Amino acid sequence: MSGLLVAPLPSAPAPLLDRLERDLGRAFALPVRRSGPVAEPAGAWSETRGQWSATDFLRALVARLPPPPCRLLGVTEHDLFVPVLSFVFGQAQLHGRAAVVSLARLRPEFHGLPPDDPLLERRAAKEAVHEVGHTFGLVHCLDRACPMSLSIDLPDLDRKTAEPCPSCSALLEGSLEMQRARAQAEVEPR
Ligand SMILES: [Zn+2]
Ligand SMILES: [Zn+2]
């Protein structure tokens, strides 16, 4: 199965998922479908940090991967961390098939501002394109408008678009081409 599955982990607003799936489909030119909810992995909560382990979330998604080359993106409301950072907006397997995005810090209300759903949806879509881009082997881009540029804070994220820049698009096309060739080789063994 080709394409990308989007899984609420364990829940995310439906209009936000609609927007994110549309932008992912456009950025990667792949079919995007919604999967059923995925439960938080047992043991991912850190009492000392008051956050959830991004690595455990990614591991839980890897355990539920659909058949290759389909990718799986989890979208969670939970605030995620990795041990060396105070938080992460998301995490992905570079050249892998699993990625996760956290909505917690994308919400204006997390920062004491009034809720703004359209802003939250735009942020989530850009962050989703970024993490899924890593699964296609894309690394951080220096173009600040490109979704593959590194965001360490919300102003960084708000500066981006959801459309990969020409150079990331070219790399992505190469990666998709390789994926298609591999799938073709499996259909026609020689
Ligand atoms: Zn990144
Ligand atoms: Zn780029």
Side-chain angles (χ1 to χ4, degrees):
M1 184 170 60
S2 69
L4 174 68
L5 272 184
V6 174
L9 204 173
S11 67
L16 178 143
L17 293 175
D18 291 341
R19 163 72 189 255
L20 180 148
E21 288 166 4
R22 232 184 5 255
D23 283 3
L24 285 167
R26 199 172 298 142
F28 298 103
L30 284 172
V32 182
R33 292 183 301 119
R34 182 112 19 117
S35 107
V38 172
E40 304 96 340
W45 170 251
S46 162
E47 194 66 55
T48 46
R49 298 198 48 143
Q51 290 173 299
W52 301 75
S53 159
T55 310
D56 286 356
F57 272 53
L58 207 51
R59 209 174 283 136
L61 291 164
V62 169
R64 301 180 55 110
L65 276 175
C70 189
R71 286 164 166 75
L72 179 60
L73 170 73
V75 181
T76 185
E77 293 279 5
H78 296 314
D79 190 22
L80 301 180
F81 77 95
V82 294
V84 294
L85 297 173
S86 53
F87 73 93
V88 288
F89 289 133
Q91 209 188 4
Q93 295 180 294
L94 187 66
H95 292 289
R97 294 196 287 124
V100 62
V101 165
S102 164
L103 305 179
R105 290 173 191 255
L106 306 185
R107 290 188 175 279
E109 53 271 44
F110 186 94
H111 311 276
L113 297 167
D116 183 340
D117 286 349
L119 178 62
L120 171 67
E121 288 162 16
R122 282 198 301 278
R123 287 174 172 172
K126 293 182 222 180
E127 182 52 27
V129 170
H130 181 96
E131 298 305 340
V132 172
H134 282 319
T135 69
F136 284 100
L138 297 182
V139 293
H140 289 154
C141 178
L142 293 177
D143 180 343
R144 308 292 296 273
C146 175
M148 289 315 298
S149 66
L150 176 66
S151 305
I152 57 164
D153 54 25
L154 289 176
D156 280 346
L157 185 57
D158 290 338
R159 243 191 314 266
K160 297 187 197 182
T161 67
E163 287 278 341
C165 75
S167 105
C168 286
S169 295
L171 290 170
L172 182 63
E173 190 41 51
S175 175
L176 285 166
E177 197 55 56
M178 226 151 64
Q179 184 175 302
R180 280 192 288 267
R182 220 175 291 134
Q184 191 62 25
E186 275 162 29
V187 177
E188 296 168 5
R190 51 191 83 197

